[in-house]
Amino acid sequence: MVLWIVLACFTALVAAILIAPLMRPIPESRKGHEDEAAVYRDQLREIERDRHQGLIGAAEADYARAEIGRRLLAVADKTARAERDGTEPASRKHQLTTFSILLCLPLVGIGLYVTLGSPGLPAQPLEARLANPGNNMALLVAKAERHLAANPQDGAGWDLLAPIYFRSQRLGDAEMAYRRAIALLGETPDRLAGLGETLIAANEGVVTLDARQSFARAVELDRGNMRARFYLALSDEQAGRRQAALDAFRALAADSPPGAAWMALVNEHIARNGGAPLATPSDGPQIGKASGKAPGNPDAAAVESAQNMSAGDRKQMIEGMVTSLAARLKDDPDNIEGWLRLVRSYKVLGEDGKATDALRMGLKTFPADGAPGQRLVALAREIGLSVEGVTQ
């Protein structure tokens, strides 16, 4: 019903805009012959009044009546010719135009809506759409936000929303979500590194003191977090500590696996700080230049950027990031962040079978009845991965 009220208001507004020019006063020259004849008749009455008052003589009155009579005959002749030619008064034309607008405009609008619209489509209130969001990311985020508004202590929800906010460039919301997740669930290398990256993005690529502290804490928890180590080295470079930056980039290169996708970017910074670049494969992908990303565990944005590379570069990137992450998870499966990244990365690459296997392996460590396992199941549903038989 609300829709029809809105449509009626819009129709009335358009009709008023179209009719407004027709409602303006008609200029004197367009009023028609009737007004001219009325003037002459008034003059005849004035002559009779002046005659009875003795203001003019009988001869003068006769002469004036004759002249006005001649003019009345001329007006009558013009009116007769206009009727023979089919000419209509302007006021009548305006009436027909106004009637046509008021009648045709709604009829045309209703006809177009019935033909092109969906008048039989049932209403879809926000509550119903949130109950069944499907693969609509905006509705999924809205549903999660509504849940967190009612349950602000749900750390898993904040943890799930934080990277989504970051990829959507909602940096203020991303920072808040990361901080809430850390406060409720505790520090992890991935949460700390995500918070640091968000702070950098919000400051146009500058590694701020808060960001550096987040990366430093992430390295304390996991020295193998190459992403955090890269940004720590970059922080030294931006602060003008060239020797410290050079040592940090060299250490990062030494600890990187052979053929790591980020080596080209690390070598670039080594050379920028006065060092000699280390040898890298001639066909290694320029992940730093291609996507602006620092080294680290694969995320959806990094894997999506690989779709623009050549087949060889994409294969090497997968071997250097996804395979490395899978190997680490095999040795140390107690890493929910790693399983979430692995499942999402396989899905983005179109390898649904591997994504399902990774989901199954992750749920062995984190059962679906626990909060971490629920995050895995929620992610699978979000990306369109079947969870039937996997959660058993």
Side-chain angles (χ1 to χ4, degrees), residues 42-126:
D42 288 341
Q43 290 178 351
L44 286 175
R45 285 192 290 271
E46 290 176 0
I47 291 172
E48 290 299 326
R49 186 169 55 253
D50 292 344
R51 174 71 181 83
H52 290 304
Q53 293 177 357
L55 298 176
I56 59 175
E60 294 171 337
D62 291 339
Y63 177 78
R65 281 196 293 269
E67 178 61 22
I68 293 174
R70 184 185 64 79
R71 294 179 181 178
L72 279 172
L73 290 175
V75 169
D77 184 59
K78 291 179 182 178
T79 303
R81 284 202 304 270
E83 291 177 354
R84 286 198 304 269
D85 296 338
T87 304
E88 295 178 330
S91 59
R92 186 179 177 187
K93 290 183 179 180
H94 288 180
Q95 291 175 356
L96 292 177
T97 304
T98 302
F99 178 76
S100 299
I101 292 174
L102 292 176
L103 180 63
C104 295
L105 190 62
L107 291 178
V108 171
I110 293 174
L112 289 175
Y113 178 69
V114 171
T115 303
L116 304 177
S118 302
L121 188 67
Q124 291 184 312
L126 179 60

Coordinates of all heavy atoms in Angstrom, one line a residue, residues 42-126:
D42 N -19.8 48.5 -23.2 CA -19.6 49.4 -22.1 C -19.6 50.9 -22.6 O -20.2 51.8 -21.9 CB -18.4 49.1 -21.3 CG -18.5 47.8 -20.5 OD1 -19.6 47.4 -20.2 OD2 -17.4 47.3 -20.1
Q43 N -18.9 51.1 -23.7 CA -18.9 52.5 -24.2 C -20.2 53.0 -24.7 O -20.6 54.2 -24.5 CB -17.9 52.5 -25.4 CG -16.4 52.3 -25.0 CD -15.5 52.3 -26.2 OE1 -15.9 52.3 -27.4 NE2 -14.2 52.3 -25.9
L44 N -21.1 52.1 -25.2 CA -22.4 52.5 -25.6 C -23.2 52.9 -24.4 O -24.0 53.9 -24.4 CB -23.1 51.3 -26.3 CG -22.7 51.0 -27.7 CD1 -23.4 49.7 -28.3 CD2 -23.0 52.2 -28.7
R45 N -23.1 52.2 -23.3 CA -23.8 52.5 -22.0 C -23.3 53.9 -21.5 O -24.1 54.7 -21.0 CB -23.6 51.5 -21.0 CG -24.5 50.2 -21.3 CD -24.5 49.3 -20.1 NE -23.2 48.7 -19.9 CZ -22.8 47.5 -20.4 NH1 -23.6 46.9 -21.3 NH2 -21.6 47.0 -20.2
E46 N -22.0 54.2 -21.6 CA -21.5 55.4 -21.2 C -22.0 56.6 -22.0 O -22.3 57.7 -21.5 CB -20.0 55.4 -21.2 CG -19.3 54.5 -20.2 CD -17.8 54.5 -20.4 OE1 -17.3 55.2 -21.3 OE2 -17.1 53.7 -19.6
I47 N -22.2 56.4 -23.3 CA -22.7 57.4 -24.2 C -24.1 57.7 -23.8 O -24.5 58.9 -23.7 CB -22.6 57.0 -25.7 CG1 -21.2 56.9 -26.1 CG2 -23.4 57.9 -26.6 CD1 -21.0 56.3 -27.5
E48 N -24.9 56.7 -23.5 CA -26.3 57.0 -23.1 C -26.4 57.7 -21.8 O -27.2 58.6 -21.6 CB -27.1 55.6 -23.0 CG -27.3 54.9 -24.4 CD -28.2 55.8 -25.3 OE1 -29.1 56.5 -24.8 OE2 -27.9 55.7 -26.5
R49 N -25.5 57.4 -20.9 CA -25.5 58.1 -19.6 C -25.1 59.5 -19.8 O -25.7 60.4 -19.2 CB -24.5 57.3 -18.7 CG -24.5 57.9 -17.3 CD -23.7 57.0 -16.3 NE -22.3 56.8 -16.7 CZ -21.9 55.7 -17.2 NH1 -22.7 54.6 -17.3 NH2 -20.6 55.5 -17.6
D50 N -24.1 59.8 -20.6 CA -23.6 61.2 -20.8 C -24.8 62.0 -21.6 O -24.9 63.2 -21.3 CB -22.4 61.2 -21.7 CG -21.2 60.6 -20.9 OD1 -21.2 60.5 -19.7 OD2 -20.2 60.3 -21.6
R51 N -25.5 61.3 -22.5 CA -26.6 62.0 -23.2 C -27.6 62.4 -22.2 O -28.2 63.6 -22.3 CB -27.1 61.0 -24.3 CG -28.3 61.6 -25.0 CD -28.0 62.7 -25.9 NE -29.1 63.2 -26.6 CZ -30.0 64.1 -26.1 NH1 -29.8 64.6 -24.9 NH2 -31.0 64.6 -26.9
H52 N -28.0 61.5 -21.3 CA -29.1 61.9 -20.4 C -28.7 63.0 -19.4 O -29.5 63.7 -18.9 CB -29.6 60.6 -19.6 CG -30.3 59.7 -20.4 ND1 -31.5 60.0 -21.2 CD2 -30.1 58.4 -20.7 CE1 -31.9 59.0 -21.8 NE2 -31.1 57.9 -21.6
Q53 N -27.4 63.0 -19.1 CA -26.9 64.0 -18.2 C -26.6 65.4 -18.9 O -26.2 66.3 -18.2 CB -25.6 63.5 -17.5 CG -25.9 62.3 -16.5 CD -24.6 61.8 -15.9 OE1 -23.5 62.3 -16.3 NE2 -24.7 60.8 -15.0
G54 N -26.8 65.4 -20.2 CA -26.5 66.6 -20.9 C -25.1 67.0 -21.2 O -24.8 68.1 -21.5
L55 N -24.2 66.0 -21.0 CA -22.8 66.2 -21.2 C -22.5 66.3 -22.7 O -21.5 67.0 -23.1 CB -22.0 65.1 -20.5 CG -22.1 65.0 -19.0 CD1 -21.3 63.9 -18.5 CD2 -21.7 66.4 -18.4
I56 N -23.2 65.6 -23.5 CA -23.0 65.7 -25.0 C -24.4 65.9 -25.6 O -25.4 65.6 -25.1 CB -22.4 64.4 -25.5 CG1 -23.3 63.2 -25.2 CG2 -21.0 64.2 -24.9 CD1 -22.7 61.9 -25.8
G57 N -24.3 66.5 -26.9 CA -25.5 66.7 -27.6 C -26.0 65.5 -28.3 O -25.4 64.5 -28.4
A58 N -27.3 65.6 -28.9 CA -27.9 64.5 -29.6 C -27.1 64.1 -30.8 O -26.9 62.9 -31.1 CB -29.3 64.8 -29.9
A59 N -26.6 65.1 -31.6 CA -25.8 64.8 -32.8 C -24.5 64.0 -32.5 O -24.1 63.1 -33.1 CB -25.5 66.0 -33.6
E60 N -23.9 64.5 -31.4 CA -22.6 63.9 -31.0 C -22.8 62.5 -30.5 O -22.1 61.5 -30.8 CB -21.9 64.7 -29.9 CG -21.5 66.1 -30.4 CD -21.0 67.0 -29.2 OE1 -21.5 66.7 -28.1 OE2 -20.3 67.9 -29.5
A61 N -24.0 62.3 -29.8 CA -24.3 60.9 -29.3 C -24.6 60.0 -30.5 O -24.1 58.8 -30.5 CB -25.5 61.0 -28.3
D62 N -25.3 60.4 -31.5 CA -25.6 59.6 -32.6 C -24.3 59.2 -33.4 O -24.1 58.1 -33.8 CB -26.6 60.3 -33.6 CG -27.9 60.5 -33.0 OD1 -28.3 59.7 -32.0 OD2 -28.7 61.4 -33.4
Y63 N -23.4 60.2 -33.5 CA -22.2 59.9 -34.2 C -21.4 58.9 -33.5 O -20.8 57.9 -34.1 CB -21.4 61.2 -34.4 CG -20.1 61.0 -35.1 CD1 -20.0 60.8 -36.4 CD2 -18.9 60.9 -34.3 CE1 -18.7 60.6 -37.0 CE2 -17.7 60.7 -34.9 CZ -17.6 60.5 -36.3 OH -16.4 60.3 -36.9
A64 N -21.3 59.0 -32.2 CA -20.5 58.0 -31.4 C -21.1 56.7 -31.4 O -20.4 55.6 -31.5 CB -20.4 58.5 -29.9
R65 N -22.5 56.6 -31.3 CA -23.1 55.3 -31.4 C -22.9 54.6 -32.7 O -22.7 53.4 -32.8 CB -24.6 55.4 -31.1 CG -25.0 55.6 -29.6 CD -26.5 55.3 -29.4 NE -27.2 56.4 -30.1 CZ -27.6 57.5 -29.5 NH1 -27.3 57.8 -28.2 NH2 -28.3 58.4 -30.1
A66 N -22.9 55.4 -33.8 CA -22.6 54.8 -35.1 C -21.2 54.2 -35.2 O -21.0 53.2 -35.8 CB -22.9 55.9 -36.2
E67 N -20.2 55.0 -34.7 CA -18.8 54.5 -34.8 C -18.6 53.2 -33.9 O -18.0 52.3 -34.4 CB -17.9 55.6 -34.2 CG -16.4 55.2 -34.2 CD -15.9 54.9 -35.6 OE1 -16.5 55.3 -36.6 OE2 -14.9 54.2 -35.7
I68 N -19.2 53.2 -32.7 CA -19.1 52.0 -31.9 C -19.8 50.8 -32.5 O -19.3 49.7 -32.5 CB -19.6 52.3 -30.5 CG1 -18.6 53.3 -29.8 CG2 -19.6 51.0 -29.6 CD1 -19.1 53.8 -28.4
G69 N -21.0 51.1 -33.1 CA -21.7 50.0 -33.8 C -20.9 49.4 -34.9 O -20.9 48.2 -35.1
R70 N -20.2 50.3 -35.7 CA -19.3 49.8 -36.8 C -18.2 48.9 -36.2 O -18.0 47.8 -36.8 CB -18.7 51.0 -37.5 CG -17.9 50.6 -38.7 CD -17.2 51.8 -39.3 NE -16.2 52.4 -38.3 CZ -15.0 51.9 -38.1 NH1 -14.6 50.8 -38.8 NH2 -14.2 52.5 -37.3
R71 N -17.7 49.3 -35.1 CA -16.6 48.4 -34.5 C -17.2 47.1 -34.0 O -16.5 46.1 -34.1 CB -15.9 49.2 -33.4 CG -15.2 50.4 -33.8 CD -14.5 51.1 -32.7 NE -13.8 52.3 -33.1 CZ -13.2 53.2 -32.3 NH1 -13.2 53.0 -31.0 NH2 -12.6 54.3 -32.8
L72 N -18.4 47.1 -33.4 CA -19.0 45.9 -33.0 C -19.3 44.9 -34.2 O -19.1 43.7 -34.0 CB -20.3 46.2 -32.3 CG -20.2 46.6 -30.8 CD1 -21.6 47.1 -30.3 CD2 -19.7 45.4 -30.0
L73 N -19.7 45.5 -35.3 CA -19.9 44.7 -36.5 C -18.6 44.0 -36.9 O -18.6 42.9 -37.4 CB -20.5 45.5 -37.6 CG -22.0 46.0 -37.4 CD1 -22.4 46.9 -38.5 CD2 -22.9 44.7 -37.3
A74 N -17.5 44.8 -36.9 CA -16.2 44.3 -37.3 C -15.8 43.1 -36.4 O -15.3 42.1 -36.8 CB -15.2 45.3 -37.2
V75 N -16.1 43.2 -35.0 CA -15.7 42.2 -34.1 C -16.6 40.9 -34.4 O -16.1 39.8 -34.4 CB -15.9 42.6 -32.6 CG1 -15.8 41.5 -31.7 CG2 -14.9 43.7 -32.3
A76 N -17.8 41.1 -34.7 CA -18.7 40.0 -35.0 C -18.3 39.3 -36.2 O -18.3 38.1 -36.3 CB -20.2 40.5 -35.1
D77 N -17.8 40.1 -37.2 CA -17.3 39.5 -38.4 C -16.0 38.6 -38.2 O -15.9 37.5 -38.7 CB -17.0 40.5 -39.5 CG -16.6 40.0 -40.8 OD1 -17.4 39.2 -41.4 OD2 -15.4 40.3 -41.2
K78 N -15.1 39.1 -37.3 CA -13.9 38.3 -37.0 C -14.3 37.0 -36.2 O -13.8 36.0 -36.5 CB -13.0 39.2 -36.1 CG -12.4 40.3 -36.7 CD -11.5 41.1 -35.7 CE -10.9 42.3 -36.4 NZ -10.0 43.1 -35.4
T79 N -15.3 37.1 -35.3 CA -15.7 35.9 -34.6 C -16.3 34.9 -35.6 O -16.1 33.7 -35.4 CB -16.8 36.3 -33.5 OG1 -16.2 37.3 -32.7 CG2 -17.2 35.1 -32.7
A80 N -17.1 35.4 -36.5 CA -17.7 34.4 -37.5 C -16.7 33.7 -38.3 O -16.7 32.5 -38.6 CB -18.7 35.2 -38.4
R81 N -15.7 34.5 -38.8 CA -14.6 33.9 -39.6 C -13.8 32.9 -38.8 O -13.4 31.8 -39.3 CB -13.7 35.0 -40.1 CG -14.2 35.8 -41.2 CD -13.1 36.5 -42.0 NE -12.3 37.3 -41.2 CZ -12.5 38.6 -40.9 NH1 -13.6 39.2 -41.5 NH2 -11.7 39.3 -40.1
A82 N -13.6 33.2 -37.5 CA -12.8 32.2 -36.6 C -13.6 30.9 -36.5 O -13.1 29.8 -36.5 CB -12.6 32.8 -35.3
E83 N -14.9 31.0 -36.3 CA -15.8 29.8 -36.2 C -15.7 29.0 -37.5 O -15.7 27.8 -37.5 CB -17.2 30.2 -35.8 CG -17.3 30.7 -34.4 CD -18.7 31.2 -34.1 OE1 -19.6 31.2 -35.0 OE2 -19.0 31.5 -32.9
R84 N -15.8 29.7 -38.6 CA -15.7 29.0 -39.9 C -14.4 28.3 -40.1 O -14.3 27.2 -40.7 CB -16.0 30.0 -41.1 CG -17.4 30.4 -41.2 CD -17.7 31.0 -42.6 NE -16.7 32.1 -42.8 CZ -17.0 33.4 -42.6 NH1 -18.1 33.7 -42.0 NH2 -16.1 34.3 -42.8
D85 N -13.3 28.9 -39.6 CA -12.0 28.3 -39.8 C -11.7 27.2 -38.8 O -10.6 26.6 -38.8 CB -10.9 29.4 -39.7 CG -11.0 30.4 -40.8 OD1 -11.6 30.0 -41.8 OD2 -10.5 31.5 -40.6
G86 N -12.6 26.9 -37.8 CA -12.4 25.9 -36.8 C -11.4 26.4 -35.7 O -10.9 25.5 -34.9
T87 N -11.2 27.6 -35.5 CA -10.3 28.1 -34.5 C -11.0 28.1 -33.2 O -12.2 28.6 -33.1 CB -9.8 29.5 -34.8 OG1 -9.2 29.5 -36.1 CG2 -8.8 30.0 -33.8
E88 N -10.4 27.5 -32.1 CA -11.0 27.4 -30.8 C -10.4 28.5 -29.8 O -9.2 28.8 -30.0 CB -10.7 26.0 -30.2 CG -11.4 24.9 -30.9 CD -11.1 23.6 -30.3 OE1 -10.0 23.5 -29.7 OE2 -12.0 22.7 -30.4
P89 N -11.1 28.9 -28.9 CA -10.6 29.9 -27.9 C -9.4 29.2 -27.2 O -9.4 28.0 -26.9 CB -11.8 30.2 -27.0 CG -13.0 29.8 -27.8 CD -12.6 28.7 -28.7
A90 N -8.5 30.0 -26.7 CA -7.3 29.5 -26.0 C -7.7 28.8 -24.7 O -7.1 27.8 -24.3 CB -6.3 30.6 -25.7
S91 N -8.7 29.3 -24.0 CA -9.1 28.7 -22.7 C -9.6 27.3 -22.9 O -9.3 26.4 -22.1 CB -10.2 29.6 -22.1 OG -11.3 29.7 -22.9
R92 N -10.3 27.1 -24.1 CA -10.8 25.7 -24.3 C -9.6 24.8 -24.6 O -9.6 23.6 -24.2 CB -11.8 25.8 -25.5 CG -12.5 24.4 -25.7 CD -13.4 24.5 -26.9 NE -14.0 23.2 -27.2 CZ -14.8 23.0 -28.2 NH1 -15.1 24.0 -29.1 NH2 -15.3 21.8 -28.4
K93 N -8.7 25.3 -25.3 CA -7.5 24.4 -25.6 C -6.8 24.0 -24.3 O -6.4 22.9 -24.1 CB -6.5 25.2 -26.5 CG -7.0 25.4 -27.9 CD -5.9 26.1 -28.7 CE -6.3 26.3 -30.2 NZ -5.2 27.0 -30.9
H94 N -6.7 25.0 -23.4 CA -6.0 24.7 -22.1 C -6.8 23.7 -21.3 O -6.2 22.8 -20.7 CB -5.9 26.0 -21.3 CG -4.8 26.9 -21.9 ND1 -4.5 28.1 -21.3 CD2 -4.0 26.8 -22.9 CE1 -3.6 28.7 -22.0 NE2 -3.3 27.9 -23.0
Q95 N -8.1 23.8 -21.4 CA -8.9 22.8 -20.7 C -8.7 21.4 -21.2 O -8.6 20.4 -20.4 CB -10.4 23.2 -20.8 CG -10.8 24.5 -20.0 CD -12.2 24.9 -20.2 OE1 -12.9 24.3 -21.0 NE2 -12.6 26.0 -19.5
L96 N -8.7 21.2 -22.5 CA -8.5 19.9 -23.1 C -7.1 19.4 -22.8 O -6.9 18.2 -22.5 CB -8.6 20.0 -24.6 CG -10.1 20.3 -25.1 CD1 -10.1 20.4 -26.7 CD2 -11.0 19.1 -24.7
T97 N -6.1 20.3 -22.8 CA -4.7 19.8 -22.5 C -4.6 19.4 -21.0 O -4.0 18.3 -20.7 CB -3.7 21.0 -22.7 OG1 -3.8 21.4 -24.1 CG2 -2.3 20.5 -22.5
T98 N -5.2 20.2 -20.1 CA -5.2 19.8 -18.7 C -5.9 18.5 -18.5 O -5.4 17.6 -17.8 CB -5.9 20.9 -17.9 OG1 -5.2 22.1 -18.1 CG2 -5.9 20.5 -16.4
F99 N -7.0 18.3 -19.1 CA -7.8 17.0 -19.0 C -6.9 15.9 -19.5 O -6.9 14.8 -18.9 CB -9.1 17.1 -19.8 CG -9.9 15.9 -19.7 CD1 -10.6 15.5 -18.6 CD2 -9.9 15.0 -20.8 CE1 -11.3 14.3 -18.5 CE2 -10.7 13.8 -20.8 CZ -11.4 13.5 -19.6
S100 N -6.3 16.1 -20.6 CA -5.4 15.0 -21.2 C -4.3 14.6 -20.3 O -4.0 13.4 -20.1 CB -4.9 15.4 -22.6 OG -5.9 15.7 -23.5
I101 N -3.7 15.6 -19.7 CA -2.6 15.3 -18.8 C -3.1 14.5 -17.6 O -2.5 13.5 -17.2 CB -1.9 16.6 -18.3 CG1 -1.1 17.2 -19.5 CG2 -0.9 16.3 -17.2 CD1 -0.5 18.6 -19.2
L102 N -4.1 15.0 -17.0 CA -4.7 14.3 -15.8 C -5.1 12.9 -16.0 O -5.1 12.0 -15.2 CB -5.8 15.2 -15.2 CG -5.4 16.5 -14.6 CD1 -6.6 17.3 -14.1 CD2 -4.4 16.3 -13.4
L103 N -5.6 12.7 -17.2 CA -6.2 11.3 -17.5 C -5.1 10.4 -18.1 O -5.0 9.3 -17.6 CB -7.3 11.5 -18.6 CG -8.0 10.2 -19.0 CD1 -8.6 9.5 -17.8 CD2 -9.0 10.4 -20.1
C104 N -4.3 10.9 -19.0 CA -3.3 10.0 -19.7 C -2.1 9.7 -18.9 O -1.6 8.6 -18.9 CB -2.9 10.7 -21.0 SG -4.2 10.9 -22.2
L105 N -1.6 10.6 -18.1 CA -0.4 10.4 -17.3 C -0.5 9.2 -16.4 O 0.3 8.3 -16.4 CB 0.0 11.6 -16.6 CG 1.4 11.6 -15.9 CD1 2.5 11.4 -17.0 CD2 1.6 12.9 -15.1
P106 N -1.6 9.1 -15.5 CA -1.7 7.9 -14.7 C -1.9 6.7 -15.5 O -1.4 5.6 -15.1 CB -2.9 8.3 -13.8 CG -3.1 9.8 -13.9 CD -2.6 10.1 -15.2
L107 N -2.7 6.7 -16.6 CA -3.0 5.5 -17.4 C -1.7 5.0 -18.0 O -1.4 3.8 -18.0 CB -4.0 5.8 -18.4 CG -5.4 6.1 -17.9 CD1 -6.4 6.4 -19.1 CD2 -6.0 4.9 -17.2
V108 N -0.9 5.9 -18.5 CA 0.4 5.5 -19.1 C 1.3 4.9 -18.1 O 1.9 3.8 -18.3 CB 1.1 6.7 -19.8 CG1 2.5 6.3 -20.3 CG2 0.3 7.1 -21.1
G109 N 1.4 5.5 -16.9 CA 2.2 5.0 -15.8 C 1.8 3.6 -15.3 O 2.6 2.7 -15.2
I110 N 0.5 3.5 -15.1 CA 0.0 2.1 -14.7 C 0.2 1.1 -15.8 O 0.6 0.0 -15.5 CB -1.5 2.2 -14.4 CG1 -1.7 3.1 -13.1 CG2 -2.1 0.9 -14.1 CD1 -3.2 3.4 -12.8
G111 N 0.0 1.5 -17.0 CA 0.3 0.5 -18.1 C 1.8 0.0 -18.2 O 2.0 -1.1 -18.3
L112 N 2.7 1.0 -18.0 CA 4.1 0.6 -18.0 C 4.4 -0.2 -16.9 O 5.2 -1.2 -17.0 CB 4.9 1.9 -18.0 CG 4.9 2.7 -19.3 CD1 5.7 4.0 -19.1 CD2 5.6 1.9 -20.5
Y113 N 3.9 0.1 -15.7 CA 4.2 -0.7 -14.5 C 3.7 -2.2 -14.6 O 4.4 -3.1 -14.3 CB 3.6 -0.1 -13.2 CG 3.8 -0.9 -12.0 CD1 5.1 -1.0 -11.5 CD2 2.8 -1.5 -11.3 CE1 5.4 -1.8 -10.3 CE2 3.0 -2.2 -10.2 CZ 4.3 -2.4 -9.7 OH 4.5 -3.1 -8.6
V114 N 2.4 -2.3 -15.2 CA 1.9 -3.6 -15.3 C 2.7 -4.4 -16.4 O 2.9 -5.6 -16.2 CB 0.4 -3.5 -15.8 CG1 -0.2 -4.9 -16.2 CG2 -0.4 -2.9 -14.6
T115 N 3.2 -3.7 -17.4 CA 3.9 -4.4 -18.5 C 5.3 -4.7 -18.1 O 5.8 -5.9 -18.3 CB 3.9 -3.6 -19.7 OG1 2.6 -3.3 -20.1 CG2 4.6 -4.3 -20.9
L116 N 6.0 -3.8 -17.5 CA 7.5 -3.9 -17.2 C 7.7 -4.2 -15.7 O 8.8 -4.8 -15.4 CB 8.2 -2.6 -17.6 CG 8.1 -2.2 -19.0 CD1 8.8 -0.9 -19.2 CD2 8.6 -3.2 -20.0
G117 N 6.8 -3.9 -14.8 CA 7.1 -4.2 -13.4 C 6.7 -5.5 -13.0 O 6.4 -6.4 -13.7
S118 N 6.6 -5.7 -11.6 CA 6.2 -6.9 -11.0 C 5.1 -6.6 -10.0 O 5.3 -6.7 -8.8 CB 7.4 -7.6 -10.4 OG 8.4 -7.9 -11.3
P119 N 3.9 -6.3 -10.4 CA 2.8 -6.0 -9.5 C 2.4 -7.2 -8.6 O 1.9 -7.0 -7.5 CB 1.6 -5.6 -10.4 CG 1.9 -6.2 -11.7 CD 3.4 -6.3 -11.8
G120 N 2.7 -8.4 -9.0 CA 2.3 -9.6 -8.2 C 3.4 -10.0 -7.2 O 3.2 -10.9 -6.5
L121 N 4.5 -9.3 -7.2 CA 5.6 -9.7 -6.4 C 5.2 -9.3 -4.9 O 4.9 -8.2 -4.6 CB 6.9 -8.9 -6.7 CG 8.2 -9.4 -6.0 CD1 8.6 -10.8 -6.4 CD2 9.3 -8.4 -6.3
P122 N 5.3 -10.3 -4.0 CA 5.0 -10.0 -2.6 C 6.0 -9.1 -2.0 O 7.1 -9.0 -2.4 CB 5.0 -11.4 -1.9 CG 5.9 -12.2 -2.8 CD 5.7 -11.7 -4.2
A123 N 5.5 -8.4 -1.0 CA 6.4 -7.4 -0.3 C 7.5 -8.2 0.4 O 7.3 -9.3 0.9 CB 5.6 -6.6 0.8
Q124 N 8.7 -7.6 0.5 CA 9.9 -8.2 1.1 C 10.4 -7.2 2.2 O 11.3 -6.5 2.0 CB 10.9 -8.5 0.1 CG 10.6 -9.6 -0.9 CD 11.7 -9.9 -1.8 OE1 12.3 -9.1 -2.4 NE2 12.0 -11.2 -1.9
P125 N 9.8 -7.3 3.4 CA 10.3 -6.4 4.5 C 11.7 -6.8 4.8 O 12.2 -7.9 4.5 CB 9.4 -6.7 5.6 CG 8.2 -7.4 5.0 CD 8.7 -8.1 3.8
L126 N 12.4 -5.8 5.4 CA 13.8 -6.1 5.8 C 14.0 -7.3 6.7 O 14.9 -8.1 6.6 CB 14.4 -4.8 6.5 CG 15.8 -4.9 7.0 CD1 16.8 -5.2 5.8 CD2 16.2 -3.7 7.8

